[in-house]
Short mmCIF file of all heavy atoms in Angstrom, two decimals:
data_model
loop_
_atom_site.label_atom_id
_atom_site.label_comp_id
_atom_site.label_asym_id
_atom_site.label_seq_id
_atom_site.Cartn_x
_atom_site.Cartn_y
_atom_site.Cartn_z
N LYS A 15 20.48 144.89 149.18
CA LYS A 15 21.04 143.54 149.20
C LYS A 15 22.36 143.60 148.44
O LYS A 15 22.49 144.35 147.47
CB LYS A 15 20.07 142.56 148.55
CG LYS A 15 20.37 141.13 148.77
CD LYS A 15 19.11 140.29 148.62
CE LYS A 15 19.42 138.90 149.05
NZ LYS A 15 18.34 138.16 149.53
N CYS A 21 30.00 134.68 138.31
CA CYS A 21 30.86 134.45 137.18
C CYS A 21 32.13 135.31 137.26
O CYS A 21 32.23 136.17 138.16
CB CYS A 21 30.06 134.85 135.89
SG CYS A 21 29.39 136.50 135.93
N GLU A 23 34.36 138.30 136.65
CA GLU A 23 33.99 139.70 136.45
C GLU A 23 34.39 140.18 135.05
O GLU A 23 33.88 141.16 134.54
CB GLU A 23 34.69 140.54 137.53
CG GLU A 23 34.28 141.94 137.56
CD GLU A 23 34.93 142.69 138.71
OE1 GLU A 23 34.67 142.27 139.92
OE2 GLU A 23 35.60 143.64 138.49
N ALA A 28 28.34 137.35 130.53
CA ALA A 28 27.78 136.67 131.75
C ALA A 28 27.38 137.65 132.79
O ALA A 28 26.32 137.49 133.45
CB ALA A 28 28.78 135.68 132.29
N TRP A 32 23.62 138.11 134.14
CA TRP A 32 23.34 137.97 135.60
C TRP A 32 22.62 139.19 136.15
O TRP A 32 21.62 139.02 136.87
CB TRP A 32 24.66 137.76 136.32
CG TRP A 32 24.56 137.73 137.81
CD1 TRP A 32 23.94 136.76 138.58
CD2 TRP A 32 25.09 138.69 138.75
NE1 TRP A 32 24.03 137.06 139.90
CE2 TRP A 32 24.74 138.25 140.03
CE3 TRP A 32 25.81 139.86 138.58
CZ2 TRP A 32 25.09 138.93 141.15
CZ3 TRP A 32 26.18 140.54 139.74
CH2 TRP A 32 25.79 140.09 141.03
N GLU A 34 20.68 141.19 134.43
CA GLU A 34 19.34 141.14 133.82
C GLU A 34 18.46 140.12 134.56
O GLU A 34 17.28 140.42 134.82
CB GLU A 34 19.39 140.79 132.36
CG GLU A 34 20.06 141.97 131.50
CD GLU A 34 20.45 141.58 130.12
OE1 GLU A 34 20.24 140.36 129.73
OE2 GLU A 34 21.07 142.46 129.48
N LYS A 45 21.86 153.07 142.45
CA LYS A 45 22.87 153.95 142.00
C LYS A 45 23.21 155.09 143.00
O LYS A 45 24.06 155.88 142.75
CB LYS A 45 22.55 154.56 140.66
CG LYS A 45 21.19 155.15 140.55
CD LYS A 45 20.89 155.53 139.11
CE LYS A 45 19.43 155.73 138.92
NZ LYS A 45 19.06 155.87 137.54
N GLU A 56 15.58 146.25 146.35
CA GLU A 56 14.49 145.33 146.00
C GLU A 56 13.26 146.16 145.54
O GLU A 56 12.80 147.05 146.23
CB GLU A 56 14.12 144.45 147.19
CG GLU A 56 13.13 143.38 146.86
CD GLU A 56 12.90 142.39 147.98
OE1 GLU A 56 13.58 142.55 149.05
OE2 GLU A 56 12.05 141.54 147.81
N GLN A 57 12.86 145.92 144.32
CA GLN A 57 11.72 146.62 143.71
C GLN A 57 10.83 145.60 142.98
O GLN A 57 11.08 144.41 143.04
CB GLN A 57 12.30 147.69 142.74
CG GLN A 57 13.22 148.67 143.35
CD GLN A 57 13.83 149.60 142.38
OE1 GLN A 57 13.41 149.68 141.19
NE2 GLN A 57 14.86 150.34 142.74
N ASP A 58 9.88 146.11 142.28
CA ASP A 58 9.05 145.19 141.51
C ASP A 58 9.91 144.63 140.35
O ASP A 58 10.75 145.35 139.76
CB ASP A 58 7.86 145.96 140.89
CG ASP A 58 6.87 146.37 141.96
OD1 ASP A 58 6.73 145.60 142.95
OD2 ASP A 58 6.22 147.41 141.87
N TYR A 64 21.10 145.16 130.30
CA TYR A 64 22.28 145.86 130.83
C TYR A 64 23.38 145.86 129.78
O TYR A 64 23.47 144.97 128.96
CB TYR A 64 22.83 145.18 132.11
CG TYR A 64 22.11 145.61 133.34
CD1 TYR A 64 21.04 144.86 133.84
CD2 TYR A 64 22.48 146.76 134.05
CE1 TYR A 64 20.37 145.24 135.00
CE2 TYR A 64 21.79 147.14 135.19
CZ TYR A 64 20.72 146.37 135.68
OH TYR A 64 20.11 146.76 136.81
N LYS A 73 40.12 153.39 137.34
CA LYS A 73 40.64 153.90 138.59
C LYS A 73 39.84 153.25 139.74
O LYS A 73 38.69 152.90 139.54
CB LYS A 73 40.52 155.40 138.66
CG LYS A 73 41.32 156.11 137.68
CD LYS A 73 41.11 157.66 137.80
CE LYS A 73 41.98 158.41 136.79
NZ LYS A 73 41.83 159.80 136.91
N THR A 79 35.90 160.48 134.63
CA THR A 79 36.84 161.33 133.84
C THR A 79 36.11 162.02 132.69
O THR A 79 34.97 161.65 132.34
CB THR A 79 38.01 160.47 133.26
OG1 THR A 79 37.43 159.56 132.31
CG2 THR A 79 38.71 159.74 134.38
N ALA A 80 36.74 162.94 132.03
CA ALA A 80 36.16 163.67 130.92
C ALA A 80 35.83 162.67 129.78
O ALA A 80 34.80 162.83 129.17
CB ALA A 80 37.13 164.75 130.42
N ASN A 81 36.75 161.72 129.48
CA ASN A 81 36.43 160.77 128.42
C ASN A 81 35.28 159.88 128.76
O ASN A 81 34.45 159.51 127.92
CB ASN A 81 37.70 159.94 128.08
CG ASN A 81 38.73 160.75 127.36
OD1 ASN A 81 38.38 161.72 126.67
ND2 ASN A 81 39.97 160.34 127.48
N GLU A 82 35.20 159.45 130.04
CA GLU A 82 34.11 158.62 130.48
C GLU A 82 32.79 159.40 130.39
O GLU A 82 31.77 158.83 130.01
CB GLU A 82 34.36 158.11 131.93
CG GLU A 82 35.42 157.15 131.99
CD GLU A 82 35.86 156.81 133.43
OE1 GLU A 82 35.65 157.63 134.38
OE2 GLU A 82 36.46 155.73 133.61
N ILE A 86 29.41 158.36 128.47
CA ILE A 86 28.08 158.39 129.12
C ILE A 86 27.07 159.15 128.33
O ILE A 86 25.96 158.74 128.06
CB ILE A 86 28.22 158.89 130.58
CG1 ILE A 86 28.99 157.86 131.42
CG2 ILE A 86 26.86 159.15 131.18
CD1 ILE A 86 29.46 158.36 132.79
N GLU A 88 27.12 159.93 125.15
CA GLU A 88 26.81 159.25 123.91
C GLU A 88 25.81 158.17 124.09
O GLU A 88 24.85 158.04 123.35
CB GLU A 88 28.12 158.68 123.28
CG GLU A 88 29.03 159.69 122.71
CD GLU A 88 30.44 159.06 122.36
OE1 GLU A 88 30.62 157.87 122.58
OE2 GLU A 88 31.27 159.83 121.84
N LEU A 104 31.67 151.02 132.94
CA LEU A 104 30.50 151.96 133.00
C LEU A 104 29.31 151.05 132.76
O LEU A 104 29.25 150.31 131.77
CB LEU A 104 30.63 153.04 131.95
CG LEU A 104 31.86 153.93 132.09
CD1 LEU A 104 31.91 154.90 130.88
CD2 LEU A 104 31.85 154.70 133.39
N ALA A 122 41.54 147.61 121.48
CA ALA A 122 42.03 149.00 121.54
C ALA A 122 41.90 149.57 122.93
O ALA A 122 42.81 150.23 123.45
CB ALA A 122 41.23 149.87 120.53
N GLN A 125 44.63 148.07 125.05
CA GLN A 125 45.95 148.70 124.64
C GLN A 125 46.08 150.06 125.25
O GLN A 125 47.17 150.41 125.72
CB GLN A 125 46.09 148.73 123.15
CG GLN A 125 46.24 147.35 122.48
CD GLN A 125 47.31 146.51 123.13
OE1 GLN A 125 48.44 146.95 123.33
NE2 GLN A 125 46.99 145.29 123.44
N LYS A 128 46.90 149.66 128.86
CA LYS A 128 48.34 149.28 129.04
C LYS A 128 49.27 150.47 128.92
O LYS A 128 50.18 150.60 129.68
CB LYS A 128 48.72 148.23 127.94
CG LYS A 128 48.25 146.84 128.21
CD LYS A 128 48.73 145.89 127.13
CE LYS A 128 48.31 144.47 127.39
NZ LYS A 128 48.75 143.57 126.36
N GLN A 131 49.12 152.40 132.11
CA GLN A 131 49.88 151.68 133.08
C GLN A 131 51.37 151.91 132.96
O GLN A 131 52.09 152.14 133.89
CB GLN A 131 49.60 150.22 133.10
CG GLN A 131 48.23 149.83 133.64
CD GLN A 131 48.14 150.04 135.14
OE1 GLN A 131 49.09 149.92 135.88
NE2 GLN A 131 46.96 150.43 135.64
N LYS A 133 52.93 154.41 131.52
CA LYS A 133 53.22 155.83 131.98
C LYS A 133 53.26 155.90 133.50
O LYS A 133 54.17 156.53 134.04
CB LYS A 133 52.14 156.78 131.40
CG LYS A 133 52.18 157.04 129.96
CD LYS A 133 51.09 157.93 129.54
CE LYS A 133 50.83 157.96 128.06
NZ LYS A 133 49.66 158.77 127.67
N TYR A 135 53.97 153.57 135.69
CA TYR A 135 55.21 152.86 136.16
C TYR A 135 56.43 153.65 135.84
O TYR A 135 57.31 153.76 136.68
CB TYR A 135 55.31 151.43 135.51
CG TYR A 135 54.56 150.41 136.37
CD1 TYR A 135 53.29 150.03 136.08
CD2 TYR A 135 55.20 149.88 137.45
CE1 TYR A 135 52.60 149.10 136.84
CE2 TYR A 135 54.54 148.91 138.25
CZ TYR A 135 53.24 148.54 137.91
OH TYR A 135 52.59 147.65 138.66
N SER A 144 57.25 144.39 136.27
CA SER A 144 56.19 144.69 137.20
C SER A 144 54.95 145.25 136.52
O SER A 144 53.82 144.99 136.89
CB SER A 144 56.57 145.74 138.22
OG SER A 144 57.88 145.98 138.30
N PHE A 153 43.44 143.58 134.99
CA PHE A 153 42.52 143.45 133.85
C PHE A 153 42.25 141.99 133.53
O PHE A 153 41.25 141.73 132.84
CB PHE A 153 43.08 144.16 132.64
CG PHE A 153 43.16 145.66 132.89
CD1 PHE A 153 44.35 146.29 133.14
CD2 PHE A 153 41.99 146.41 132.86
CE1 PHE A 153 44.40 147.61 133.37
CE2 PHE A 153 42.03 147.77 133.08
CZ PHE A 153 43.26 148.41 133.38
#
Side-chain angles (χ1 to χ4, degrees):
K15 196 156 186 155
C21 55
E23 191 175 299
W32 175 66
E34 291 165 3
K45 52 189 162 190
E56 189 174 355
Q57 302 175 13
D58 291 328
Y64 277 96
K73 294 181 179 181
T79 66
N81 287 336
E82 290 170 338
I86 291 169
E88 289 170 357
L104 298 175
Q125 292 307 312
K128 282 183 180 180
Q131 285 292 327
K133 288 178 194 174
Y135 272 95
S144 346
F153 294 104

